[in-house]
Amino acid sequence: MFTFRNAIDFLAFGDDVFIRDKAKYELGLNIREGLEAKRDILADAFAQHGIVACVDDLKVAIGTNKTLLRRLVAIEQTRYFEDQEFIEDMKTAIDDHKFDLPSNDDGKFIIDENNIDLFLKLVNDKRFISLIKKQMVDADVVEVVQETV
């Protein structure tokens, strides 16, 4: 463990960056502007793949909320939304578990500020059923577990 003096905002060493105050660090880098630009690009990609009913509603629901913007940008890495089978499986899971994520007659998700968090977690595949407690949980980090022999 180590601590930073107040005069130091971050420390970069090799490929690692240690940040003392994440909010101030991001403010200095204008991270939000980059996230908002990615929001618009990914929202348009959802529309091109026929996933959301209204791109503008998606953009408004995410707004400038950094948590939601980060979740959206994480989707860019997996790009599950491009896999139609994944989307169909997602719709089945929504029906099976009675998640409050409506779709229109064309099967496109109707997104608003009340369901955007759920939508982003599902399209990121970040919702799981615990093996031990048998309850549904949200996971920020997903790592495939390799079975031991």
Side-chain angles (χ1 to χ4, degrees), residues 42 46 67-81 86-87 90 116-128 139-143:
L42 288 168
F46 283 140
T67 300
L68 297 176
L69 287 166
R70 284 190 186 110
R71 283 199 184 121
L72 180 67
V73 170
I75 291 168
E76 187 176 37
Q77 294 174 350
T78 63
R79 300 195 76 84
Y80 291 145
F81 68 89
F86 175 86
I87 297 300
M90 184 173 134
I116 185 62
D117 189 55
L118 174 62
F119 173 76
L120 293 175
K121 286 176 183 174
L122 292 175
V123 81
N124 262 314
D125 201 18
K126 301 279 181 150
R127 189 156 274 196
F128 297 92
D140 288 330
V141 178
V142 177
E143 184 177 325

PDB file of all heavy atoms in Angstrom, residues 42 46 67-81 86-87 90 116-128 139-143:
ATOM      1  N   LEU A  42     -22.115   4.695 -30.403  1.00  0.00           N
ATOM      2  CA  LEU A  42     -22.681   3.397 -30.042  1.00  0.00           C
ATOM      3  C   LEU A  42     -24.204   3.408 -30.104  1.00  0.00           C
ATOM      4  O   LEU A  42     -24.817   2.405 -30.501  1.00  0.00           O
ATOM      5  CB  LEU A  42     -22.194   2.969 -28.662  1.00  0.00           C
ATOM      6  CG  LEU A  42     -20.721   2.554 -28.628  1.00  0.00           C
ATOM      7  CD1 LEU A  42     -20.229   2.438 -27.204  1.00  0.00           C
ATOM      8  CD2 LEU A  42     -20.520   1.237 -29.367  1.00  0.00           C
ATOM      9  N   PHE A  46     -26.504   0.838 -32.241  1.00  0.00           N
ATOM     10  CA  PHE A  46     -27.670   0.085 -31.773  1.00  0.00           C
ATOM     11  C   PHE A  46     -28.826   0.243 -32.753  1.00  0.00           C
ATOM     12  O   PHE A  46     -29.529  -0.717 -33.057  1.00  0.00           O
ATOM     13  CB  PHE A  46     -28.121   0.561 -30.390  1.00  0.00           C
ATOM     14  CG  PHE A  46     -27.276   0.083 -29.246  1.00  0.00           C
ATOM     15  CD1 PHE A  46     -26.981   0.926 -28.190  1.00  0.00           C
ATOM     16  CD2 PHE A  46     -26.794  -1.207 -29.200  1.00  0.00           C
ATOM     17  CE1 PHE A  46     -26.219   0.496 -27.134  1.00  0.00           C
ATOM     18  CE2 PHE A  46     -26.024  -1.654 -28.140  1.00  0.00           C
ATOM     19  CZ  PHE A  46     -25.734  -0.797 -27.107  1.00  0.00           C
ATOM     20  N   THR A  67     -21.263   7.025 -14.897  1.00  0.00           N
ATOM     21  CA  THR A  67     -21.409   5.579 -14.685  1.00  0.00           C
ATOM     22  C   THR A  67     -22.065   4.932 -15.895  1.00  0.00           C
ATOM     23  O   THR A  67     -21.589   3.913 -16.402  1.00  0.00           O
ATOM     24  CB  THR A  67     -22.238   5.296 -13.416  1.00  0.00           C
ATOM     25  OG1 THR A  67     -21.577   5.878 -12.293  1.00  0.00           O
ATOM     26  CG2 THR A  67     -22.416   3.809 -13.198  1.00  0.00           C
ATOM     27  N   LEU A  68     -23.150   5.526 -16.372  1.00  0.00           N
ATOM     28  CA  LEU A  68     -23.843   4.981 -17.538  1.00  0.00           C
ATOM     29  C   LEU A  68     -22.984   5.102 -18.793  1.00  0.00           C
ATOM     30  O   LEU A  68     -22.960   4.189 -19.633  1.00  0.00           O
ATOM     31  CB  LEU A  68     -25.188   5.678 -17.733  1.00  0.00           C
ATOM     32  CG  LEU A  68     -26.203   5.492 -16.605  1.00  0.00           C
ATOM     33  CD1 LEU A  68     -27.453   6.318 -16.869  1.00  0.00           C
ATOM     34  CD2 LEU A  68     -26.544   4.021 -16.416  1.00  0.00           C
ATOM     35  N   LEU A  69     -22.275   6.204 -18.924  1.00  0.00           N
ATOM     36  CA  LEU A  69     -21.384   6.377 -20.079  1.00  0.00           C
ATOM     37  C   LEU A  69     -20.305   5.302 -20.087  1.00  0.00           C
ATOM     38  O   LEU A  69     -20.002   4.713 -21.131  1.00  0.00           O
ATOM     39  CB  LEU A  69     -20.747   7.766 -20.069  1.00  0.00           C
ATOM     40  CG  LEU A  69     -21.660   8.925 -20.435  1.00  0.00           C
ATOM     41  CD1 LEU A  69     -21.014  10.261 -20.067  1.00  0.00           C
ATOM     42  CD2 LEU A  69     -22.012   8.897 -21.919  1.00  0.00           C
ATOM     43  N   ARG A  70     -19.746   5.010 -18.923  1.00  0.00           N
ATOM     44  CA  ARG A  70     -18.714   3.959 -18.842  1.00  0.00           C
ATOM     45  C   ARG A  70     -19.294   2.593 -19.190  1.00  0.00           C
ATOM     46  O   ARG A  70     -18.649   1.792 -19.857  1.00  0.00           O
ATOM     47  CB  ARG A  70     -18.098   3.932 -17.445  1.00  0.00           C
ATOM     48  CG  ARG A  70     -17.129   5.038 -17.194  1.00  0.00           C
ATOM     49  CD  ARG A  70     -16.400   4.789 -15.875  1.00  0.00           C
ATOM     50  NE  ARG A  70     -15.572   5.914 -15.543  1.00  0.00           N
ATOM     51  CZ  ARG A  70     -15.808   6.759 -14.544  1.00  0.00           C
ATOM     52  NH1 ARG A  70     -16.866   6.601 -13.781  1.00  0.00           N
ATOM     53  NH2 ARG A  70     -14.993   7.743 -14.303  1.00  0.00           N
ATOM     54  N   ARG A  71     -20.495   2.317 -18.697  1.00  0.00           N
ATOM     55  CA  ARG A  71     -21.123   1.027 -19.025  1.00  0.00           C
ATOM     56  C   ARG A  71     -21.360   0.907 -20.526  1.00  0.00           C
ATOM     57  O   ARG A  71     -21.178  -0.154 -21.111  1.00  0.00           O
ATOM     58  CB  ARG A  71     -22.443   0.876 -18.278  1.00  0.00           C
ATOM     59  CG  ARG A  71     -22.237   0.521 -16.856  1.00  0.00           C
ATOM     60  CD  ARG A  71     -23.470  -0.082 -16.226  1.00  0.00           C
ATOM     61  NE  ARG A  71     -23.164  -0.292 -14.827  1.00  0.00           N
ATOM     62  CZ  ARG A  71     -23.843   0.247 -13.832  1.00  0.00           C
ATOM     63  NH1 ARG A  71     -24.899   0.973 -14.081  1.00  0.00           N
ATOM     64  NH2 ARG A  71     -23.477   0.035 -12.587  1.00  0.00           N
ATOM     65  N   LEU A  72     -21.779   1.998 -21.133  1.00  0.00           N
ATOM     66  CA  LEU A  72     -22.014   1.982 -22.572  1.00  0.00           C
ATOM     67  C   LEU A  72     -20.711   1.753 -23.329  1.00  0.00           C
ATOM     68  O   LEU A  72     -20.656   0.934 -24.245  1.00  0.00           O
ATOM     69  CB  LEU A  72     -22.666   3.288 -23.029  1.00  0.00           C
ATOM     70  CG  LEU A  72     -22.952   3.374 -24.527  1.00  0.00           C
ATOM     71  CD1 LEU A  72     -24.020   2.362 -24.921  1.00  0.00           C
ATOM     72  CD2 LEU A  72     -23.370   4.772 -24.909  1.00  0.00           C
ATOM     73  N   VAL A  73     -19.666   2.437 -22.922  1.00  0.00           N
ATOM     74  CA  VAL A  73     -18.385   2.298 -23.614  1.00  0.00           C
ATOM     75  C   VAL A  73     -17.833   0.880 -23.455  1.00  0.00           C
ATOM     76  O   VAL A  73     -17.185   0.357 -24.356  1.00  0.00           O
ATOM     77  CB  VAL A  73     -17.385   3.366 -23.124  1.00  0.00           C
ATOM     78  CG1 VAL A  73     -15.991   3.105 -23.629  1.00  0.00           C
ATOM     79  CG2 VAL A  73     -17.855   4.750 -23.571  1.00  0.00           C
ATOM     80  N   ALA A  74     -18.127   0.226 -22.326  1.00  0.00           N
ATOM     81  CA  ALA A  74     -17.688  -1.161 -22.135  1.00  0.00           C
ATOM     82  C   ALA A  74     -18.300  -2.080 -23.188  1.00  0.00           C
ATOM     83  O   ALA A  74     -17.706  -3.103 -23.560  1.00  0.00           O
ATOM     84  CB  ALA A  74     -18.053  -1.639 -20.731  1.00  0.00           C
ATOM     85  N   ILE A  75     -19.459  -1.721 -23.684  1.00  0.00           N
ATOM     86  CA  ILE A  75     -20.130  -2.517 -24.715  1.00  0.00           C
ATOM     87  C   ILE A  75     -19.302  -2.553 -25.990  1.00  0.00           C
ATOM     88  O   ILE A  75     -19.326  -3.528 -26.734  1.00  0.00           O
ATOM     89  CB  ILE A  75     -21.541  -1.945 -24.988  1.00  0.00           C
ATOM     90  CG1 ILE A  75     -22.427  -2.191 -23.777  1.00  0.00           C
ATOM     91  CG2 ILE A  75     -22.160  -2.519 -26.247  1.00  0.00           C
ATOM     92  CD1 ILE A  75     -23.729  -1.428 -23.793  1.00  0.00           C
ATOM     93  N   GLU A  76     -18.539  -1.494 -26.213  1.00  0.00           N
ATOM     94  CA  GLU A  76     -17.711  -1.419 -27.420  1.00  0.00           C
ATOM     95  C   GLU A  76     -16.676  -2.542 -27.453  1.00  0.00           C
ATOM     96  O   GLU A  76     -16.322  -3.032 -28.523  1.00  0.00           O
ATOM     97  CB  GLU A  76     -17.025  -0.056 -27.498  1.00  0.00           C
ATOM     98  CG  GLU A  76     -16.279   0.160 -28.789  1.00  0.00           C
ATOM     99  CD  GLU A  76     -15.695   1.541 -28.886  1.00  0.00           C
ATOM    100  OE1 GLU A  76     -15.235   2.083 -27.860  1.00  0.00           O
ATOM    101  OE2 GLU A  76     -15.700   2.078 -29.992  1.00  0.00           O
ATOM    102  N   GLN A  77     -16.187  -2.969 -26.295  1.00  0.00           N
ATOM    103  CA  GLN A  77     -15.181  -4.018 -26.248  1.00  0.00           C
ATOM    104  C   GLN A  77     -15.746  -5.374 -26.637  1.00  0.00           C
ATOM    105  O   GLN A  77     -15.136  -6.107 -27.399  1.00  0.00           O
ATOM    106  CB  GLN A  77     -14.555  -4.087 -24.860  1.00  0.00           C
ATOM    107  CG  GLN A  77     -13.752  -2.856 -24.513  1.00  0.00           C
ATOM    108  CD  GLN A  77     -13.268  -2.881 -23.078  1.00  0.00           C
ATOM    109  OE1 GLN A  77     -13.668  -3.722 -22.277  1.00  0.00           O
ATOM    110  NE2 GLN A  77     -12.407  -1.940 -22.744  1.00  0.00           N
ATOM    111  N   THR A  78     -16.914  -5.715 -26.113  1.00  0.00           N
ATOM    112  CA  THR A  78     -17.495  -7.034 -26.397  1.00  0.00           C
ATOM    113  C   THR A  78     -18.283  -7.054 -27.694  1.00  0.00           C
ATOM    114  O   THR A  78     -18.304  -8.057 -28.389  1.00  0.00           O
ATOM    115  CB  THR A  78     -18.427  -7.474 -25.257  1.00  0.00           C
ATOM    116  OG1 THR A  78     -19.519  -6.550 -25.163  1.00  0.00           O
ATOM    117  CG2 THR A  78     -17.688  -7.567 -23.941  1.00  0.00           C
ATOM    118  N   ARG A  79     -18.978  -5.939 -27.976  1.00  0.00           N
ATOM    119  CA  ARG A  79     -19.812  -5.791 -29.172  1.00  0.00           C
ATOM    120  C   ARG A  79     -20.829  -6.939 -29.310  1.00  0.00           C
ATOM    121  O   ARG A  79     -21.179  -7.356 -30.399  1.00  0.00           O
ATOM    122  CB  ARG A  79     -18.951  -5.653 -30.424  1.00  0.00           C
ATOM    123  CG  ARG A  79     -18.031  -4.429 -30.330  1.00  0.00           C
ATOM    124  CD  ARG A  79     -17.431  -4.014 -31.627  1.00  0.00           C
ATOM    125  NE  ARG A  79     -18.331  -3.318 -32.514  1.00  0.00           N
ATOM    126  CZ  ARG A  79     -18.604  -2.021 -32.472  1.00  0.00           C
ATOM    127  NH1 ARG A  79     -18.089  -1.267 -31.543  1.00  0.00           N
ATOM    128  NH2 ARG A  79     -19.399  -1.463 -33.361  1.00  0.00           N
ATOM    129  N   TYR A  80     -21.330  -7.425 -28.169  1.00  0.00           N
ATOM    130  CA  TYR A  80     -22.348  -8.478 -28.183  1.00  0.00           C
ATOM    131  C   TYR A  80     -23.576  -8.059 -28.975  1.00  0.00           C
ATOM    132  O   TYR A  80     -24.260  -8.893 -29.556  1.00  0.00           O
ATOM    133  CB  TYR A  80     -22.783  -8.842 -26.761  1.00  0.00           C
ATOM    134  CG  TYR A  80     -21.747  -9.550 -25.923  1.00  0.00           C
ATOM    135  CD1 TYR A  80     -21.665  -9.316 -24.560  1.00  0.00           C
ATOM    136  CD2 TYR A  80     -20.865 -10.473 -26.480  1.00  0.00           C
ATOM    137  CE1 TYR A  80     -20.725  -9.967 -23.771  1.00  0.00           C
ATOM    138  CE2 TYR A  80     -19.927 -11.129 -25.699  1.00  0.00           C
ATOM    139  CZ  TYR A  80     -19.867 -10.869 -24.352  1.00  0.00           C
ATOM    140  OH  TYR A  80     -18.950 -11.515 -23.576  1.00  0.00           O
ATOM    141  N   PHE A  81     -23.864  -6.768 -28.991  1.00  0.00           N
ATOM    142  CA  PHE A  81     -25.067  -6.285 -29.658  1.00  0.00           C
ATOM    143  C   PHE A  81     -25.061  -6.570 -31.157  1.00  0.00           C
ATOM    144  O   PHE A  81     -26.098  -6.540 -31.799  1.00  0.00           O
ATOM    145  CB  PHE A  81     -25.269  -4.787 -29.402  1.00  0.00           C
ATOM    146  CG  PHE A  81     -24.246  -3.894 -30.051  1.00  0.00           C
ATOM    147  CD1 PHE A  81     -24.443  -3.414 -31.330  1.00  0.00           C
ATOM    148  CD2 PHE A  81     -23.100  -3.530 -29.371  1.00  0.00           C
ATOM    149  CE1 PHE A  81     -23.509  -2.587 -31.934  1.00  0.00           C
ATOM    150  CE2 PHE A  81     -22.167  -2.698 -29.952  1.00  0.00           C
ATOM    151  CZ  PHE A  81     -22.356  -2.226 -31.237  1.00  0.00           C
ATOM    152  N   PHE A  86     -27.251 -13.430 -29.673  1.00  0.00           N
ATOM    153  CA  PHE A  86     -27.114 -12.878 -28.320  1.00  0.00           C
ATOM    154  C   PHE A  86     -28.332 -12.033 -27.969  1.00  0.00           C
ATOM    155  O   PHE A  86     -28.884 -12.151 -26.877  1.00  0.00           O
ATOM    156  CB  PHE A  86     -25.830 -12.032 -28.201  1.00  0.00           C
ATOM    157  CG  PHE A  86     -25.699 -11.339 -26.874  1.00  0.00           C
ATOM    158  CD1 PHE A  86     -25.129 -11.997 -25.794  1.00  0.00           C
ATOM    159  CD2 PHE A  86     -26.167 -10.046 -26.687  1.00  0.00           C
ATOM    160  CE1 PHE A  86     -25.032 -11.364 -24.552  1.00  0.00           C
ATOM    161  CE2 PHE A  86     -26.074  -9.411 -25.468  1.00  0.00           C
ATOM    162  CZ  PHE A  86     -25.502 -10.080 -24.400  1.00  0.00           C
ATOM    163  N   ILE A  87     -28.752 -11.171 -28.904  1.00  0.00           N
ATOM    164  CA  ILE A  87     -29.905 -10.298 -28.652  1.00  0.00           C
ATOM    165  C   ILE A  87     -31.169 -11.130 -28.441  1.00  0.00           C
ATOM    166  O   ILE A  87     -31.974 -10.848 -27.547  1.00  0.00           O
ATOM    167  CB  ILE A  87     -30.087  -9.278 -29.797  1.00  0.00           C
ATOM    168  CG1 ILE A  87     -28.864  -8.345 -29.868  1.00  0.00           C
ATOM    169  CG2 ILE A  87     -31.373  -8.486 -29.627  1.00  0.00           C
ATOM    170  CD1 ILE A  87     -28.592  -7.534 -28.607  1.00  0.00           C
ATOM    171  N   MET A  90     -30.978 -12.600 -25.095  1.00  0.00           N
ATOM    172  CA  MET A  90     -31.225 -11.543 -24.116  1.00  0.00           C
ATOM    173  C   MET A  90     -32.726 -11.313 -23.961  1.00  0.00           C
ATOM    174  O   MET A  90     -33.237 -11.186 -22.844  1.00  0.00           O
ATOM    175  CB  MET A  90     -30.515 -10.265 -24.566  1.00  0.00           C
ATOM    176  CG  MET A  90     -30.589  -9.112 -23.608  1.00  0.00           C
ATOM    177  SD  MET A  90     -29.543  -7.763 -24.188  1.00  0.00           S
ATOM    178  CE  MET A  90     -30.639  -6.389 -23.959  1.00  0.00           C
ATOM    179  N   ILE A 116     -32.576   2.183 -18.391  1.00  0.00           N
ATOM    180  CA  ILE A 116     -31.292   2.245 -19.092  1.00  0.00           C
ATOM    181  C   ILE A 116     -30.209   1.450 -18.365  1.00  0.00           C
ATOM    182  O   ILE A 116     -29.414   0.761 -18.995  1.00  0.00           O
ATOM    183  CB  ILE A 116     -30.839   3.720 -19.328  1.00  0.00           C
ATOM    184  CG1 ILE A 116     -29.553   3.762 -20.171  1.00  0.00           C
ATOM    185  CG2 ILE A 116     -30.639   4.460 -18.025  1.00  0.00           C
ATOM    186  CD1 ILE A 116     -29.686   3.190 -21.551  1.00  0.00           C
ATOM    187  N   ASP A 117     -30.183   1.512 -17.040  1.00  0.00           N
ATOM    188  CA  ASP A 117     -29.172   0.774 -16.281  1.00  0.00           C
ATOM    189  C   ASP A 117     -29.303  -0.726 -16.526  1.00  0.00           C
ATOM    190  O   ASP A 117     -28.310  -1.414 -16.795  1.00  0.00           O
ATOM    191  CB  ASP A 117     -29.303   1.098 -14.793  1.00  0.00           C
ATOM    192  CG  ASP A 117     -28.161   0.539 -13.981  1.00  0.00           C
ATOM    193  OD1 ASP A 117     -26.991   0.835 -14.306  1.00  0.00           O
ATOM    194  OD2 ASP A 117     -28.429  -0.197 -13.005  1.00  0.00           O
ATOM    195  N   LEU A 118     -30.525  -1.236 -16.462  1.00  0.00           N
ATOM    196  CA  LEU A 118     -30.770  -2.653 -16.729  1.00  0.00           C
ATOM    197  C   LEU A 118     -30.370  -3.014 -18.157  1.00  0.00           C
ATOM    198  O   LEU A 118     -29.698  -4.020 -18.387  1.00  0.00           O
ATOM    199  CB  LEU A 118     -32.246  -2.991 -16.497  1.00  0.00           C
ATOM    200  CG  LEU A 118     -32.677  -4.405 -16.881  1.00  0.00           C
ATOM    201  CD1 LEU A 118     -31.932  -5.445 -16.059  1.00  0.00           C
ATOM    202  CD2 LEU A 118     -34.185  -4.546 -16.738  1.00  0.00           C
ATOM    203  N   PHE A 119     -30.761  -2.200 -19.133  1.00  0.00           N
ATOM    204  CA  PHE A 119     -30.412  -2.454 -20.522  1.00  0.00           C
ATOM    205  C   PHE A 119     -28.900  -2.572 -20.698  1.00  0.00           C
ATOM    206  O   PHE A 119     -28.409  -3.509 -21.326  1.00  0.00           O
ATOM    207  CB  PHE A 119     -30.969  -1.354 -21.429  1.00  0.00           C
ATOM    208  CG  PHE A 119     -30.507  -1.452 -22.851  1.00  0.00           C
ATOM    209  CD1 PHE A 119     -31.041  -2.410 -23.707  1.00  0.00           C
ATOM    210  CD2 PHE A 119     -29.522  -0.604 -23.349  1.00  0.00           C
ATOM    211  CE1 PHE A 119     -30.616  -2.513 -25.020  1.00  0.00           C
ATOM    212  CE2 PHE A 119     -29.092  -0.696 -24.653  1.00  0.00           C
ATOM    213  CZ  PHE A 119     -29.631  -1.653 -25.496  1.00  0.00           C
ATOM    214  N   LEU A 120     -28.158  -1.635 -20.132  1.00  0.00           N
ATOM    215  CA  LEU A 120     -26.702  -1.651 -20.284  1.00  0.00           C
ATOM    216  C   LEU A 120     -26.073  -2.859 -19.603  1.00  0.00           C
ATOM    217  O   LEU A 120     -25.132  -3.457 -20.133  1.00  0.00           O
ATOM    218  CB  LEU A 120     -26.095  -0.351 -19.752  1.00  0.00           C
ATOM    219  CG  LEU A 120     -26.444   0.909 -20.536  1.00  0.00           C
ATOM    220  CD1 LEU A 120     -25.893   2.145 -19.836  1.00  0.00           C
ATOM    221  CD2 LEU A 120     -25.948   0.824 -21.971  1.00  0.00           C
ATOM    222  N   LYS A 121     -26.599  -3.247 -18.449  1.00  0.00           N
ATOM    223  CA  LYS A 121     -26.069  -4.436 -17.768  1.00  0.00           C
ATOM    224  C   LYS A 121     -26.344  -5.695 -18.583  1.00  0.00           C
ATOM    225  O   LYS A 121     -25.482  -6.572 -18.703  1.00  0.00           O
ATOM    226  CB  LYS A 121     -26.663  -4.563 -16.370  1.00  0.00           C
ATOM    227  CG  LYS A 121     -26.088  -3.566 -15.399  1.00  0.00           C
ATOM    228  CD  LYS A 121     -26.754  -3.643 -14.052  1.00  0.00           C
ATOM    229  CE  LYS A 121     -26.189  -2.577 -13.121  1.00  0.00           C
ATOM    230  NZ  LYS A 121     -26.916  -2.527 -11.856  1.00  0.00           N
ATOM    231  N   LEU A 122     -27.528  -5.785 -19.151  1.00  0.00           N
ATOM    232  CA  LEU A 122     -27.873  -6.982 -19.926  1.00  0.00           C
ATOM    233  C   LEU A 122     -27.099  -7.052 -21.235  1.00  0.00           C
ATOM    234  O   LEU A 122     -26.595  -8.113 -21.604  1.00  0.00           O
ATOM    235  CB  LEU A 122     -29.383  -7.031 -20.189  1.00  0.00           C
ATOM    236  CG  LEU A 122     -30.256  -7.264 -18.964  1.00  0.00           C
ATOM    237  CD1 LEU A 122     -31.728  -7.171 -19.341  1.00  0.00           C
ATOM    238  CD2 LEU A 122     -29.948  -8.608 -18.320  1.00  0.00           C
ATOM    239  N   VAL A 123     -26.992  -5.950 -21.941  1.00  0.00           N
ATOM    240  CA  VAL A 123     -26.302  -5.982 -23.229  1.00  0.00           C
ATOM    241  C   VAL A 123     -24.789  -6.140 -23.038  1.00  0.00           C
ATOM    242  O   VAL A 123     -24.089  -6.581 -23.939  1.00  0.00           O
ATOM    243  CB  VAL A 123     -26.668  -4.753 -24.099  1.00  0.00           C
ATOM    244  CG1 VAL A 123     -25.874  -3.530 -23.712  1.00  0.00           C
ATOM    245  CG2 VAL A 123     -26.528  -5.050 -25.577  1.00  0.00           C
ATOM    246  N   ASN A 124     -24.300  -5.845 -21.832  1.00  0.00           N
ATOM    247  CA  ASN A 124     -22.904  -6.107 -21.473  1.00  0.00           C
ATOM    248  C   ASN A 124     -22.734  -7.522 -20.928  1.00  0.00           C
ATOM    249  O   ASN A 124     -21.622  -7.942 -20.649  1.00  0.00           O
ATOM    250  CB  ASN A 124     -22.432  -5.118 -20.393  1.00  0.00           C
ATOM    251  CG  ASN A 124     -21.677  -3.959 -20.957  1.00  0.00           C
ATOM    252  OD1 ASN A 124     -20.807  -4.128 -21.796  1.00  0.00           O
ATOM    253  ND2 ASN A 124     -21.990  -2.771 -20.488  1.00  0.00           N
ATOM    254  N   ASP A 125     -23.843  -8.229 -20.723  1.00  0.00           N
ATOM    255  CA  ASP A 125     -23.860  -9.565 -20.124  1.00  0.00           C
ATOM    256  C   ASP A 125     -23.224  -9.527 -18.729  1.00  0.00           C
ATOM    257  O   ASP A 125     -22.333 -10.305 -18.409  1.00  0.00           O
ATOM    258  CB  ASP A 125     -23.152 -10.585 -21.021  1.00  0.00           C
ATOM    259  CG  ASP A 125     -23.572 -12.015 -20.721  1.00  0.00           C
ATOM    260  OD1 ASP A 125     -24.629 -12.216 -20.084  1.00  0.00           O
ATOM    261  OD2 ASP A 125     -22.842 -12.948 -21.113  1.00  0.00           O
ATOM    262  N   LYS A 126     -23.745  -8.623 -17.894  1.00  0.00           N
ATOM    263  CA  LYS A 126     -23.199  -8.426 -16.552  1.00  0.00           C
ATOM    264  C   LYS A 126     -24.204  -8.780 -15.458  1.00  0.00           C
ATOM    265  O   LYS A 126     -24.151  -8.252 -14.366  1.00  0.00           O
ATOM    266  CB  LYS A 126     -22.769  -6.960 -16.366  1.00  0.00           C
ATOM    267  CG  LYS A 126     -21.742  -6.465 -17.327  1.00  0.00           C
ATOM    268  CD  LYS A 126     -20.362  -6.878 -16.928  1.00  0.00           C
ATOM    269  CE  LYS A 126     -19.363  -6.323 -17.924  1.00  0.00           C
ATOM    270  NZ  LYS A 126     -18.089  -6.060 -17.358  1.00  0.00           N
ATOM    271  N   ARG A 127     -25.150  -9.652 -15.753  1.00  0.00           N
ATOM    272  CA  ARG A 127     -26.131 -10.088 -14.763  1.00  0.00           C
ATOM    273  C   ARG A 127     -26.063 -11.607 -14.689  1.00  0.00           C
ATOM    274  O   ARG A 127     -26.136 -12.276 -15.703  1.00  0.00           O
ATOM    275  CB  ARG A 127     -27.527  -9.622 -15.165  1.00  0.00           C
ATOM    276  CG  ARG A 127     -28.539  -9.857 -14.079  1.00  0.00           C
ATOM    277  CD  ARG A 127     -29.706  -8.954 -14.196  1.00  0.00           C
ATOM    278  NE  ARG A 127     -29.423  -7.692 -13.513  1.00  0.00           N
ATOM    279  CZ  ARG A 127     -30.341  -6.817 -13.178  1.00  0.00           C
ATOM    280  NH1 ARG A 127     -31.600  -7.044 -13.463  1.00  0.00           N
ATOM    281  NH2 ARG A 127     -30.035  -5.709 -12.567  1.00  0.00           N
ATOM    282  N   PHE A 128     -25.905 -12.130 -13.463  1.00  0.00           N
ATOM    283  CA  PHE A 128     -25.683 -13.563 -13.286  1.00  0.00           C
ATOM    284  C   PHE A 128     -26.488 -14.102 -12.117  1.00  0.00           C
ATOM    285  O   PHE A 128     -26.898 -13.350 -11.235  1.00  0.00           O
ATOM    286  CB  PHE A 128     -24.193 -13.834 -13.026  1.00  0.00           C
ATOM    287  CG  PHE A 128     -23.332 -13.436 -14.183  1.00  0.00           C
ATOM    288  CD1 PHE A 128     -22.772 -12.172 -14.245  1.00  0.00           C
ATOM    289  CD2 PHE A 128     -23.116 -14.303 -15.224  1.00  0.00           C
ATOM    290  CE1 PHE A 128     -21.999 -11.786 -15.318  1.00  0.00           C
ATOM    291  CE2 PHE A 128     -22.344 -13.930 -16.305  1.00  0.00           C
ATOM    292  CZ  PHE A 128     -21.780 -12.672 -16.357  1.00  0.00           C
ATOM    293  N   ALA A 139     -22.641  -7.894 -11.946  1.00  0.00           N
ATOM    294  CA  ALA A 139     -21.190  -8.017 -11.821  1.00  0.00           C
ATOM    295  C   ALA A 139     -20.504  -6.960 -12.672  1.00  0.00           C
ATOM    296  O   ALA A 139     -20.830  -6.801 -13.843  1.00  0.00           O
ATOM    297  CB  ALA A 139     -20.751  -9.410 -12.268  1.00  0.00           C
ATOM    298  N   ASP A 140     -19.580  -6.235 -12.057  1.00  0.00           N
ATOM    299  CA  ASP A 140     -18.835  -5.239 -12.824  1.00  0.00           C
ATOM    300  C   ASP A 140     -17.741  -5.898 -13.662  1.00  0.00           C
ATOM    301  O   ASP A 140     -17.422  -5.449 -14.741  1.00  0.00           O
ATOM    302  CB  ASP A 140     -18.204  -4.198 -11.894  1.00  0.00           C
ATOM    303  CG  ASP A 140     -19.245  -3.264 -11.308  1.00  0.00           C
ATOM    304  OD1 ASP A 140     -20.262  -3.024 -11.987  1.00  0.00           O
ATOM    305  OD2 ASP A 140     -19.044  -2.780 -10.192  1.00  0.00           O
ATOM    306  N   VAL A 141     -17.156  -6.948 -13.128  1.00  0.00           N
ATOM    307  CA  VAL A 141     -16.075  -7.637 -13.828  1.00  0.00           C
ATOM    308  C   VAL A 141     -16.540  -9.059 -14.116  1.00  0.00           C
ATOM    309  O   VAL A 141     -17.044  -9.740 -13.246  1.00  0.00           O
ATOM    310  CB  VAL A 141     -14.792  -7.672 -12.968  1.00  0.00           C
ATOM    311  CG1 VAL A 141     -13.693  -8.429 -13.678  1.00  0.00           C
ATOM    312  CG2 VAL A 141     -14.348  -6.259 -12.632  1.00  0.00           C
ATOM    313  N   VAL A 142     -16.357  -9.474 -15.346  1.00  0.00           N
ATOM    314  CA  VAL A 142     -16.734 -10.830 -15.734  1.00  0.00           C
ATOM    315  C   VAL A 142     -15.478 -11.545 -16.192  1.00  0.00           C
ATOM    316  O   VAL A 142     -14.774 -11.085 -17.080  1.00  0.00           O
ATOM    317  CB  VAL A 142     -17.769 -10.816 -16.877  1.00  0.00           C
ATOM    318  CG1 VAL A 142     -18.090 -12.229 -17.310  1.00  0.00           C
ATOM    319  CG2 VAL A 142     -19.025 -10.089 -16.448  1.00  0.00           C
ATOM    320  N   GLU A 143     -15.194 -12.644 -15.541  1.00  0.00           N
ATOM    321  CA  GLU A 143     -14.047 -13.451 -15.906  1.00  0.00           C
ATOM    322  C   GLU A 143     -14.510 -14.890 -16.000  1.00  0.00           C
ATOM    323  O   GLU A 143     -15.105 -15.417 -15.062  1.00  0.00           O
ATOM    324  CB  GLU A 143     -12.940 -13.299 -14.846  1.00  0.00           C
ATOM    325  CG  GLU A 143     -11.681 -14.027 -15.192  1.00  0.00           C
ATOM    326  CD  GLU A 143     -10.599 -13.797 -14.162  1.00  0.00           C
ATOM    327  OE1 GLU A 143     -10.517 -12.688 -13.594  1.00  0.00           O
ATOM    328  OE2 GLU A 143      -9.837 -14.736 -13.915  1.00  0.00           O
TER     329      GLU A 143
END
